[in-house]
Amino acid sequence: MTKNDLVLKAKEMIKAPSCCPELHAVAQAWIDSVGKADEKNRAENLIAEIKEDVTDIDHLVAFAHSETAVKIFGEGQKNFAAHADELKASGAKYCDCGACKPALEILANKNILLA
């Protein structure tokens, strides 16, 4: 994976409706800093924010079965909860939403961000 690939992953992540505002801001700041003097610092901030925001499978399952999820997703909550349960049963360790999946790919390639 190249730095350009990671920029694309970051853009994919911030477009996801599930990307929280804090991660969106930090990711955009890193994208804007690529090739500039503050890039490494922004990359470190991005890595830290990803570690804070990516949802582990147990929290995902708990959220998917919560009243909050019912309020957010309505009838769709049942499908969401079933998906979370299937993920956990398959051995997944993290959420696979549109924000978490690319965030984990970025994290797995943090050495490229910090180079």
Side-chain angles (χ1 to χ4, degrees), residues 51-68:
K51 287 179 179 179
E52 188 174 315
D53 293 343
V54 169
T55 304
D56 67 66
I57 195 66
D58 290 329
H59 284 100
L60 177 66
V61 169
F63 171 67
H65 289 276
S66 72
E67 285 301 314
T68 302

Side-chain angles (χ1 to χ4, degrees), residues 9-17 19 23-25 27-28 31 98-99 102:
K9 290 291 176 189
K11 288 179 178 181
E12 177 185 341
M13 180 181 67
I14 63 177
K15 286 181 183 177
C19 186
L23 182 56
H24 185 284
Q28 188 62 58
I31 291 167

